[in-house]
Amino acid sequence: MVLKKILNSIFGKIHSSRKLDACLLCSHYNENPILGLNSSLSQVKKIRKKRPPFIPNAKHLKEIDDFFTKNPNLQPYRHLLPKSIIEKKPYKTPDVLYLISPDVATDVANQLIKRISNKTHVIAESNPGLGLISELLLQNGFSSTRLYEGNLQFQNYLLKQFHGRKDQVKLFKKEFFRLYQYASLDKFDQQGRVQFLLEHLPKREWSDDPFITVVGCLSKTSFLKFMIKSFILQTKLSTYGRVELFLLTQKKHWDIFNAEPNPRSFKPWNVLMNLFLEAQLIDKYPRKFFLPWETSMDKEEPDIKRDPDHIYLIRVILKRNLPLEQKDFAPFYCFMMHLYAWGGSSVIQTCEKWVPGCGEHLLLPRLEHKNYPKDLEIFTKFKELPINEVVPIYKEMASHPNFLSSPFMDMMEQEWLKSETIETDLHDSQLRKTN
């Protein structure tokens, strides 16, 4: 009975009609349902098992002390940093990284300044922490800055730091690079989190300059996947126009765009990113200037392929000129998720299964293509194709007269249904337990 009451309380909060928490530097201030949910969940965990207090590693603390001693210009910021990002040293890349070096911040800000001539252009910083980059942008005349910060201690600091510039700075209590999570929550309770975080942003045509430039540390590709899916479905971000990103991230994320073409190593999402996004490596910086650190950084012989000692600054933007027409976005996405993902299957046999009769079109293409497989045979496999030959294969399949009435279209419908089901199954199962 006690557990049932607790679960009722948790999921009651999800469906409550409370309004979404507003911008900290604006006049509205409402309770945050996400924070309330997290609070309730933490209570459940405490009932089940009480966690022992965290004890910082003495060796790590000494490393931190030595680091700040060797970098005296960082000493003024040390007392402003939450203990959680100084004392903890996880075994994998943290979900959120914070830049603590004013020198690196100056270099990053200069990269934005020399590329953006319009001082009223909206620039957002996800997880700004100390706000070093945004402060420099404001000093250089940029008048429309958005800060998306999820850490309470940093929120309070930024609130004081930019208190006198409410007309230039908007501070939100959520992370921009977690829009994909907020979009999933919005499906459950219709709280409009994504809409709130994007409110008052300008809308532009796809051929225009980006409607927003976002800078920040990115630890996972989940946001990039969300951005592409939004673009494919023409929802959320894509309804405003193109997004420009300046990402401080790991080498493995740059390698998605930079790696030598090795068809066997490409995954469907990697191919989609290369087709719809363009990326440029700008610079790289010492990993030590980003907290928290991670244990894998201590390897005596660093993995050159991973380059754990550096964080890469890359510019990523949705392409202005796209390889497909809008009507083909959704079918091509399903083509990638299903057909191309079956790397062990042959191109001809798999496409023929979904669009009967298209095999002849693939072997003897009817359309004109810039990059069509020259040696396409009946046994050629999908993962043997270079990235630039994937779209021509799809176009030939889609040009077949049977395409619109083919099993492929049923598969596409099931793909979106499955996507919705996966996101709602856990929520619905937990909800049934409380009834």
Side-chain angles (χ1 to χ4, degrees):
M1 291 299 292
V2 175
L3 180 59
K4 184 175 181 181
K5 290 181 180 179
I6 293 171
L7 292 174
N8 273 321
S9 174
I10 294 171
F11 292 101
K13 292 179 182 293
I14 295 179
H15 290 281
S16 67
S17 59
R18 289 177 298 178
K19 295 182 179 179
L20 184 65
D21 181 23
C23 168
L24 283 176
L25 292 181
C26 297
S27 57
H28 348 34
Y29 186 85
N30 299 304
E31 187 178 0
N32 186 347
I34 297 181
L35 295 180
L37 175 59
N38 290 340
S39 176
S40 298
L41 287 174
S42 65
Q43 291 177 9
V44 174
K45 291 180 180 179
K46 288 180 181 178
I47 291 175
R48 291 177 178 174
K49 183 178 180 181
K50 187 175 181 180
R51 291 185 177 181
F54 171 73
I55 302 176
N57 183 280
K59 179 182 177 181
H60 172 59
L61 293 181
K62 185 178 185 306
E63 291 174 346
I64 287 287
D65 290 337
D66 293 342
F67 171 73
F68 278 97
T69 301
K70 294 177 181 178
N71 297 274
N73 62 321
L74 304 183
Q75 285 289 359
Y77 303 112
R78 182 170 183 175
H79 74 282
L80 301 172
L81 302 174
K83 288 185 177 181
S84 58
I85 73 169
I86 292 181
E87 296 180 351
K88 292 186 178 181
K89 193 175 185 182
Y91 285 92
K92 61 180 181 178
T93 304
D95 289 339
V96 180
L97 291 177
Y98 288 101
L99 171 62
I100 62 170
S101 168
D103 293 334
V104 174
T106 299
D107 189 72
V108 174
N110 287 337
Q111 298 294 340
L112 273 72
I113 292 168
K114 71 180 183 181
R115 286 174 170 81
I116 304 173
S117 57
N118 182 6
K119 298 293 185 180
T120 62
H121 178 69
V122 180
I123 300 180
E125 187 174 1
S126 186
N127 299 107
L130 299 170
L132 300 176
I133 296 175
S134 294
E135 177 65 39
L136 291 166
L137 293 174
L138 290 169
Q139 291 176 8
N140 281 272
F142 287 89
S143 58
S144 185
T145 302
R146 288 180 164 225
L147 307 178
Y148 294 86
E149 179 55 65
N151 183 284
L152 179 59
Q153 187 169 332
F154 280 134
Q155 288 171 11
N156 295 331
Y157 170 77
L158 294 169
L159 188 62
K160 296 177 182 177
Q161 184 74 2
F162 298 104
H163 177 72
R165 288 174 277 189
K166 294 181 180 180
D167 57 331
Q168 297 175 301
V169 180
K170 289 186 178 181
L171 176 60
F172 298 86
K173 296 199 300 183
K174 293 173 178 60
E175 304 168 28
F176 192 90
F177 290 149
R178 290 188 185 273
L179 281 178
Y180 63 95
Q181 291 183 347
Y182 307 144
S184 296
L185 288 170
D186 284 343
K187 292 179 182 178
F188 299 150
D189 55 21
Q190 289 76 48
Q191 287 287 336
R193 297 168 181 83
V194 174
Q195 182 181 356
F196 168 74
L197 295 177
L198 300 178
E199 69 175 357
H200 304 312
L201 287 173
K203 292 191 176 184
R204 295 181 177 173
E205 298 295 329
W206 200 258
S207 57
D208 294 339
D209 291 336
F211 75 93
I212 190 173
T213 296
V214 186
V215 59
C217 297
L218 185 77
S219 298
K220 300 178 180 178
T221 58
S222 300
F223 175 78
L224 296 178
K225 294 177 181 178
F226 167 77
M227 189 167 68
I228 289 177
K229 197 167 183 180
S230 171
F231 159 73
I232 289 171
L233 296 177
Q234 295 293 289
T235 59
K236 305 294 189 296
L237 282 174
S238 66
T239 61
Y240 290 82
R242 293 190 302 139
V243 180
E244 180 183 39
L245 305 172
F246 284 83
L247 303 177
L248 291 157
T249 188
Q250 302 151 286
K251 181 179 181 293
K252 66 180 181 180
H253 296 150
W254 163 240
D255 285 342
I256 292 175
F257 305 97
N258 178 60
E260 289 295 324
N262 181 6
R264 296 180 183 277
S265 68
F266 279 118
K267 300 178 181 178
W269 276 113
N270 292 20
V271 177
L272 288 170
M273 289 182 193
N274 276 274
L275 288 174
F276 295 120
L277 302 174
E278 58 183 55
Q280 172 192 4
L281 175 62
I282 298 176
D283 209 338
K284 59 181 181 179
Y285 309 103
R287 172 67 176 83
K288 291 288 186 179
F289 291 129
F290 298 82
L291 290 177
W293 295 343
E294 57 192 288
T295 302
S296 59
M297 292 171 57
D298 288 340
K299 290 186 176 181
E300 295 181 2
E301 298 180 359
D303 185 347
I304 298 176
K305 186 177 180 180
R306 292 191 310 111
D307 194 8
D309 296 327
H310 292 93
I311 291 291
Y312 286 60
L313 174 63
I314 63 175
R315 176 181 178 267
V316 177
I317 188 171
L318 280 160
K319 293 180 179 178
R320 181 182 274 111
N321 299 317
L322 301 168
L324 293 167
E325 297 181 16
Q326 183 174 337
K327 65 180 179 62
D328 290 311
F329 290 167
F332 181 73
Y333 171 83
C334 293
F335 174 80
M336 293 301 305
M337 293 296 111
H338 288 266
L339 303 183
Y340 188 79
W342 296 357
S345 302
S346 82
V347 175
I348 303 297
Q349 292 176 357
T350 308
C351 291
E352 181 74 23
K353 176 182 177 181
W354 295 111
V355 183
C358 75
E360 184 180 353
H361 278 227
L362 298 180
L363 289 171
L364 301 172
R366 270 61 167 176
L367 307 176
E368 292 186 6
H369 304 282
K370 184 178 180 181
N371 299 296
Y372 197 81
K374 296 180 180 179
D375 302 320
L376 184 63
E377 300 175 351
I378 193 170
F379 297 110
T380 302
K381 298 179 180 180
F382 276 101
K383 287 192 176 180
E384 295 176 355
L385 299 177
I387 288 180
N388 59 3
E389 294 180 359
V390 177
V391 174
I393 291 291
Y394 164 78
K395 286 184 176 180
E396 282 296 334
M397 187 185 77
S399 69
H400 194 274
N402 296 336
F403 181 70
L404 294 179
S405 59
S406 68
F408 178 85
M409 301 306 289
D410 295 333
M411 182 191 72
M412 183 178 72
E413 194 173 311
Q414 293 171 8
E415 168 65 26
W416 297 119
L417 180 62
K418 181 181 72 173
S419 177
E420 293 294 322
T421 303
I422 290 174
E423 293 180 355
T424 57
D425 270 351
L426 178 59
H427 171 73
D428 290 343
S429 63
Q430 293 295 337
L431 187 61
R432 284 195 294 270
K433 292 178 183 179
T434 64
N435 293 331

